[in-house]
Amino acid sequence: MKIICIGRNYTEHIKELENEKPTDPVVFLKPDTAILLKKQPFFIPDFSNDVHYEVEILVRINKIGKYIDKKFAHKYYDEIGLGIDFTARDLQSQLKSKGLPWEKAKAFDGSAVVGDWLQKSNFADVNNISFTLEQNEKTVQAGNTSHMLWKIDELIEYVSKYFTLKIGDIIFTGTPAGVGKVSINDQLVGAIEGQQLFSIKVK
Ligand code: ZN
């Protein structure tokens, strides 16, 4: 399986990183080895002094597809989740400034937290799902999918032009404002509409 990640999909987060509003979604991949194993802590890697959390709504693909029209995209997923796209921001800034790919900063082992999944049918509207991340019991990110620049079905249309989507592939749909640094001993708890879907210890 593969993990397809979207960058700069919420306006407030774009302002926060002083990025330009893109004309197309920013897309990058993480390999399956990036997934943090269930119940394991996240270890801050030794090549970064500035690892950030980015909480994101996840979509799990349930059917193979290519060139999926956004009108039919809803047929390609029936589970919604929540995860963290851990980012070595110092390394990413170095790579960006040289125009180099981001993988070392974004796709390292443990950089993808995938929480428990919820049935899409639980939601009246996937474009109105609220979610939060707490760091040591303080809410640091609060988002709603209604604020996405590209909605879930538009993202599926866009990414499937480039990559065949296969069963089990996961799309990370981008992070809202409030990203920040993690420290040793942090506890990170993610929830969709108040329901806790992961709890991660940082070491
Ligand atoms: Zn992200």
Side-chain angles (χ1 to χ4, degrees):
M1 58 82 66
K2 59 187 172 295
I3 299 170
I4 302 171
C5 302
I6 306 301
R8 302 174 198 166
N9 200 24
Y10 289 83
T11 40
E12 286 302 313
H13 179 58
I14 292 172
K15 282 186 209 154
E16 183 173 77
L17 296 183
E18 296 178 346
N19 288 314
E20 284 174 35
K21 185 180 169 179
T23 50
D24 291 288
V26 174
V27 178
F28 57 95
L29 302 180
K30 294 185 193 246
D32 56 4
T33 47
I35 295 177
L36 186 65
L37 296 176
K38 286 276 180 221
K39 303 200 193 309
Q40 292 301 303
F42 171 73
F43 287 92
I44 297 175
D46 61 5
F47 50 78
S48 176
N49 294 311
D50 193 23
V51 172
H52 281 198
Y53 53 76
E54 294 188 357
V55 72
E56 311 200 0
I57 289 286
L58 313 184
V59 174
R60 181 147 68 177
I61 298 299
N62 65 3
K63 193 155 66 165
I64 192 165
K66 173 84 178 163
Y67 286 112
I68 300 163
D69 190 287
K70 62 175 186 266
K71 284 200 298 287
F72 305 114
H74 65 96
K75 299 180 177 187
Y76 288 80
Y77 62 103
D78 50 27
E79 287 172 295
I80 299 283
L82 194 70
I84 297 177
D85 165 23
F86 279 121
T87 303
R89 196 71 73 201
D90 44 359
L91 184 52
Q92 187 195 24
S93 299
Q94 284 174 29
L95 295 167
K96 268 185 180 173
S97 68
K98 294 178 186 161
L100 293 171
W102 297 356
E103 275 80 0
K104 288 193 290 183
K106 282 278 197 185
F108 56 87
D109 289 358
S111 63
V113 172
V114 176
D116 296 333
W117 294 95
L118 298 172
Q119 290 298 311
K120 183 175 66 176
S121 54
N122 292 348
F123 301 99
D125 180 3
V126 294
N127 296 320
N128 186 13
I129 297 175
S130 60
F131 57 100
T132 54
L133 181 72
E134 289 184 1
Q135 181 181 33
N136 307 323
E137 300 184 341
K138 177 174 168 272
T139 301
V140 286
Q141 288 189 277
N144 188 292
T145 55
S146 62
H147 299 139
M148 287 179 169
L149 294 176
W150 286 277
K151 307 299 182 203
I152 291 171
D153 291 356
E154 292 171 324
L155 291 174
I156 288 173
E157 177 178 84
Y158 186 81
V159 300
S160 70
K161 283 187 214 173
Y162 299 92
F163 313 115
T164 296
L165 299 183
K166 296 178 77 174
I167 295 169
D169 287 352
I170 298 173
I171 302 177
F172 275 61
T173 59
T175 196
V179 301
K181 184 176 177 171
V182 296
S183 302
I184 289 172
N185 290 326
D186 278 356
Q187 192 77 32
L188 300 170
V189 174
I192 288 180
E193 295 177 354
Q195 184 171 349
Q196 183 180 313
L197 298 175
F198 64 77
S199 178
I200 302 292
K201 185 83 182 171
V202 178
K203 291 199 170 172

